[in-house]
Amino acid sequence: MRKHIYALGGAGLLLSVSMATLPAQELTGELPDPPEFSAQSEPNFVSVSDIMEYRALPEYHEPDWVTSKYVEAGTLPPVAERLPAEPLVYKAANMPDGIGVYGDTMRHVIGGRPEGWNYIGGQSQGWGGIDIGLSECLTRTGPLFMIKADELEPMPNLAKSWEWSEDGKELTMHLIEGAKWSDGDPFDADDVMFYWEDNILDQNVSPLNGGTPETFGEGTTLEALDPYTIKWTFQEAFPTQYLYAMAYGTFCPGPSHILKPEHPSYSDNTYEEYKNAFPPEYLNIPVMGAWVPVEYRPDDIIVMRRNPYYWKVDEQGNQLPYLNEMHYRLSTWADRDVQAVAGSGDFSNLEQAESYVEALRRSAEDDAPARLQFGARTIGYALRMNLSGNGWGEPDEREQAVRELNRDLDFRKAISIAVDRQRLGESLVRGPFTAIYPGGLYAGTTYYDKDSTVYYPHDLEAANALLDGMGLIDTDGNGVRNFPEGTAGGADVEITLLANTDYGTDTNLAEGVIAMMEPLGLRVIANFQQGTARDDMAQSGQFDWHVERQGAEMVSVVQGTAALAPTGPRTHPFHRAGSDGTLDLLPFEQELVDVVNAFIATSDNAERAELMKQYQQIFTENVYSVGLTQYPGALIINKRFANIPAGAPIFMFNWAEDNIIRERVFVPEDQQGSYELHPETLPGAPGSDGPM
Ligand code: BQZ
């Protein structure tokens, strides 16, 4: 058996490895159980009907100043005329602190920056709850963490009810009737169909959060039967799964009366001009959400004021939201933690493990201004490799050569077993937080099955043996392996690693991976980008490797299901169609696609559990992505806020900005701060542009 001796420069490491590829079974091992860490509080599990209903109430109310300054002045119709015939009613019994009072502000701090208000055209508003608050969607899933497991189904929202045809292939949805955009324009099926036809079906538009036709099933059609009735037609029978895709992220219609005139199908605009038609400076963009943007100061703040046409009320007929104003201080994600703990901000999803110890210390003090509450381990990071071999992201010769390596199981195994996950987790924070994460579905979540999870423990020698077996030899003795002759000119194996500089955790983990690749003789080069640029490069396939925090699909499976496998040309995070529109799936990927499609096509829970065991087995055995670490998040909320649901996770079906149902949150009168920057004003009031 030939042996190869490496003198690796820098590390001065002498490695003697065998040429043979070690048999697969010698590479797997027992996955350590995550350290004991329990969420600090559990939700009170209820039915959707315990939370909300749609019905007409005998009377409606609004803040006194709205009546006196706007309705009585004749610039705003009476509140009863601004509400739908049957508004969405939140039930007091499900409100932890009951019926609220009007006033005050929630001061968010965010790390993103707004590109503009055309969410469905593909623009980000900076994340951190802005788009979640603006974009009301057909269904809603954030609050599902409090729904009884055997009744789990997306909540009604803009779609107030729906029924399936006998054969389960048609879904008729009834939209809320008489709801209005924040500028008074009626919400109806025109808005839904504009989103569907001109933003989902139009391949030239990439809506934010990635809705594509396949998100709702291959061959699915949607039509409007009348202004308040739409009908879906599916290939599968009873694909209830798609009700989750009709929630936040992928089916949140925009104001067609404003957007449609700018769309290239109805104007001389280019698609880029359509996407950018509403820059952040354009205020009072009509929204269905509870608050409307009224002020934007670059790199400083976005201020929002209550939407006078918001279509949700409490059981006493008080039009929501209770909070008059919403702030989004434009800072960094790490500063969000600091300000929430210090009390100069009101909210944070504590998700960067490096901040945990300080946040815990400060929050434990008697005079701490904020409550800190840990949930389950639903934050997870993976190293994802670009698996397209047919041109997604227009690779050059070196990039193509790296993709070919990525598509080789021995290569992915070598990378996986070269990563010391224990050390990586501890590099973020010591203590019972981080757990070794092999990839795939997260331990501790509904569909996770440990026996179906294949784990390749850290083993540097075996990793080198695998790369030797692939013929990646350091032919010029500079300590970096070379591509075989005839591939990328036999050059050094150089791999770029994309990561998001908005988060210290992302770049810390990426730097850990880079360091751990050095003893393997691989030169991994940091390609660290600011959030929006990172999002764009990830979406367009311009990366070799990507260290990324994963989405809801790895937590709940039912949310973001389309992202579990390349079920369509643009649905998967690291394998999308090449320039010829085709997906060059590896055999195991096709198996994953078949399993995910079978999961979507069945509503039998036992069958679904079995399918997800298959998914986990195929995913982890083939190292679909290299799991890195998994840990819990914590919700930090200023103590003056009431109606925060017990056990609200920072991330499960959605982020906490959705989960806590902010439109029901209030501050008791005697605890209200004087944080409002535009007290007693409504969007469009003097001093802010746009209609009113
Ligand atoms: C939460 C979230 C609300 C996006 C974003 C950001 C983008 C991703 C992701 C999180 C931020 C916060 O996450 O980190 O705690 O407030 O906004 O939308 O990471 O870069 O593209 O998927 O949700």
Side-chain angles (χ1 to χ4, degrees):
M1 183 188 298
R2 278 192 301 146
K3 284 190 176 300
H4 277 262
I5 303 292
Y6 290 103
L8 287 179
L13 208 57
L14 260 186
L15 284 176
S16 68
V17 292
S18 69
M19 270 298 287
T21 300
L22 297 169
Q25 66 279 7
E26 285 180 23
L27 296 178
T28 60
E30 177 62 27
L31 173 62
D33 287 326
E36 192 54 42
F37 186 92
S38 54
Q40 284 170 297
S41 78
E42 283 294 308
N44 311 314
F45 294 103
V46 296
S47 305
V48 171
S49 57
D50 294 321
I51 300 175
M52 55 173 279
E53 63 186 343
Y54 296 83
R55 69 183 165 101
L57 297 177
E59 56 184 32
Y60 297 105
H61 312 286
E62 62 192 353
D64 295 342
W65 56 267
V66 174
T67 311
S68 60
K69 293 183 72 172
Y70 291 87
V71 177
E72 287 169 6
T75 54
L76 191 68
V79 63
E81 294 172 23
R82 306 199 308 264
L83 288 166
E86 297 185 326
L88 189 156
V89 181
Y90 283 118
K91 296 185 174 178
N94 182 256
M95 293 183 180
D97 302 294
I99 298 288
V101 294
Y102 290 119
D104 213 333
T105 301
M106 185 173 280
R107 300 167 299 164
H108 287 275
V109 176
I110 66 174
R113 293 296 182 271
E115 296 175 293
W117 304 110
N118 192 354
Y119 173 91
I120 65 173
Q123 287 196 312
S124 155
Q125 287 69 51
W127 308 105
I130 292 187
D131 54 317
I132 291 176
L134 291 177
S135 314
E136 296 276 353
C137 316
L138 287 180
T139 62
R140 188 173 189 177
T141 54
L144 290 182
F145 72 92
M146 65 174 107
I147 298 302
K148 295 170 187 167
D150 61 352
E151 295 181 18
L152 197 63
E153 182 182 58
M155 296 161 64
N157 199 50
L158 288 173
K160 66 178 202 176
S161 64
W162 49 83
E163 63 268 353
W164 294 89
S165 59
E166 282 286 300
D167 67 359
K169 302 246 176 142
E170 293 178 349
L171 174 66
T172 303
M173 284 189 135
H174 304 281
L175 304 177
I176 188 161
E177 293 193 31
K180 295 181 174 66
W181 292 91
S182 55
D183 62 352
D185 186 87
F187 165 77
D188 58 28
D190 287 349
D191 299 306
V192 171
M193 295 314 293
F194 172 66
Y195 174 63
W196 175 254
E197 290 168 346
D198 295 305
N199 294 273
I200 289 287
L201 297 183
D202 184 334
Q203 302 280 332
N204 298 296
V205 182
S206 302
L208 197 74
N209 279 311
T212 73
E214 295 74 24
T215 306
F216 305 91
E218 196 82 37
T220 296
T221 61
L222 178 63
E223 57 186 302
L225 303 184
D226 64 44
Y228 297 110
T229 312
I230 56 175
K231 186 175 84 172
W232 295 88
T233 304
F234 302 106
Q235 298 299 307
E236 313 93 335
F238 297 106
T240 54
Q241 198 50 47
Y242 296 130
L243 288 165
Y244 288 90
M246 295 174 202
Y248 170 80
T250 40
F251 210 109
C252 314
S256 61
H257 63 295
I258 295 282
L259 299 179
K260 193 166 184 175
E262 304 295 335
H263 189 284
S265 300
Y266 312 97
S267 73
D268 298 333
N269 280 347
T270 64
Y271 279 96
E272 201 56 22
E273 287 166 336
Y274 165 61
K275 177 178 176 180
N276 300 315
F278 299 94
E281 292 77 13
Y282 182 99
L283 300 175
N284 301 309
I285 185 82
V287 301
M288 291 302 289
W291 298 276
V292 185
V294 297
E295 184 178 6
Y296 165 63
R297 297 201 293 258
D299 273 337
D300 180 4
I301 193 170
I302 291 174
V303 182
M304 297 195 174
R305 290 291 296 172
R306 62 180 303 107
N307 170 2
Y309 287 89
Y310 196 48
W311 43 286
K312 302 181 185 179
V313 301
D314 68 21
E315 260 182 323
Q316 289 179 1
N318 298 309
Q319 184 187 31
L320 298 175
Y322 293 125
L323 297 173
N324 286 326
E325 199 166 281
M326 201 55 88
H327 293 173
Y328 294 92
R329 184 72 64 189
L330 304 177
S331 177
T332 66
W333 297 114
D335 189 37
R336 177 172 75 169
D337 299 339
V338 172
Q339 293 213 41
V341 165
S344 52
D346 289 327
F347 174 101
S348 187
N349 296 324
L350 186 65
E351 62 197 353
Q352 298 196 72
E354 300 89 331
S355 316
Y356 283 20
V357 174
E358 177 54 23
L360 273 165
R361 186 194 63 73
R362 180 69 186 91
S363 305
E365 292 165 357
D366 294 343
D367 64 346
R371 279 192 304 272
L372 183 151
Q373 177 183 294
F374 271 100
R377 282 196 181 90
T378 59
I379 303 294
Y381 279 85
L383 165 62
R384 293 167 148 179
M385 301 182 187
N386 189 326
L387 291 184
S388 164
N390 68 345
W392 177 45
E394 294 161 21
D396 61 25
E397 189 183 1
R398 181 199 63 78
E399 290 162 335
Q400 184 60 26
V402 170
R403 292 162 190 232
E404 295 305 334
L405 290 180
N406 293 343
R407 290 167 65 87
D408 186 317
L409 176 55
D410 275 352
F411 183 73
R412 296 196 303 277
K413 277 183 188 170
I415 304 313
S416 181
I417 63 181
V419 172
D420 183 342
R421 293 174 173 86
Q422 184 63 36
R423 239 177 72 213
L424 214 46
E426 287 169 357
S427 73
L428 299 180
V429 63
R430 291 190 172 278
F433 303 105
T434 61
I436 285 176
Y437 168 53
L441 308 180
Y442 292 149
T445 59
T446 307
Y447 288 102
Y448 175 76
D449 175 62
K450 181 176 180 181
D451 293 338
S452 309
T453 305
V454 176
Y455 172 52
Y456 298 101
H458 179 54
D459 182 340
L460 197 51
E461 186 177 348
N464 274 296
L466 283 169
L467 296 189
D468 288 329
M470 291 177 64
L472 294 174
I473 306 303
D474 173 13
T475 50
D476 52 14
N478 67 347
V480 179
R481 294 173 186 268
N482 293 77
F483 287 110
E485 275 315 306
T487 302
D492 285 347
V493 177
E494 289 191 345
I495 298 163
T496 62
L497 177 55
L498 179 63
N500 186 341
T501 55
D502 288 359
Y503 300 89
T505 306
D506 292 45
T507 50
N508 289 340
L509 287 172
E511 280 159 1
V513 166
I514 290 170
M516 291 177 184
M517 293 301 113
E518 200 174 317
L520 268 191
L522 296 178
R523 182 179 296 135
V524 180
I525 298 162
N527 175 21
F528 296 174
Q529 300 286 337
Q530 180 276 335
T532 309
R534 185 292 304 246
D535 289 350
D536 292 346
M537 295 180 82
Q539 299 289 326
S540 57
Q542 292 168 8
F543 63 94
D544 296 345
W545 288 0
H546 184 189
V547 162
E548 182 171 26
R549 187 179 68 196
Q550 294 178 132
E553 68 277 6
M554 289 305 172
V555 180
S556 73
V557 170
V558 291
Q559 189 71 53
T561 312
L564 285 171
T567 50
R570 295 190 297 161
T571 58
H572 195 255
F574 51 93
H575 194 171
R576 294 190 182 179
S579 34
D580 64 357
T582 63
L583 266 169
D584 54 341
L585 299 183
L586 295 163
F588 81 90
E589 289 187 283
Q590 187 56 55
E591 289 174 47
L592 288 174
V593 167
D594 296 344
V595 165
V596 171
N597 285 336
F599 179 87
I600 289 170
T602 178
S603 49
D604 178 291
N605 286 330
E607 210 175 311
R608 296 186 123 197
E610 191 48 43
L611 285 164
M612 280 302 117
K613 287 179 182 175
Q614 292 173 36
Y615 178 86
Q616 184 74 343
Q617 176 81 30
I618 299 165
F619 187 113
T620 52
E621 195 168 45
N622 287 284
V623 192
Y624 198 23
S625 64
V626 178
L628 299 175
T629 189
Q630 171 193 354
Y631 55 84
L635 184 57
I636 309 179
I637 293 254
N638 190 282
K639 289 174 180 172
R640 74 180 192 282
F641 291 100
N643 274 351
I644 306 298
I650 68 161
F651 187 58
M652 188 174 280
F653 298 94
N654 198 359
W655 290 101
E657 293 89 332
D658 187 14
N659 306 348
I660 65 170
I661 311 180
R662 284 181 293 178
E663 61 267 30
R664 294 186 330 183
V665 170
F666 73 94
V667 179
E669 210 133 8
D670 61 348
Q671 295 176 52
Q672 291 191 9
S674 53
Y675 303 116
E676 288 186 60
L677 297 174
H678 301 285
E680 301 196 353
T681 64
L682 287 176
S688 64
D689 318 329
M692 167 49 94

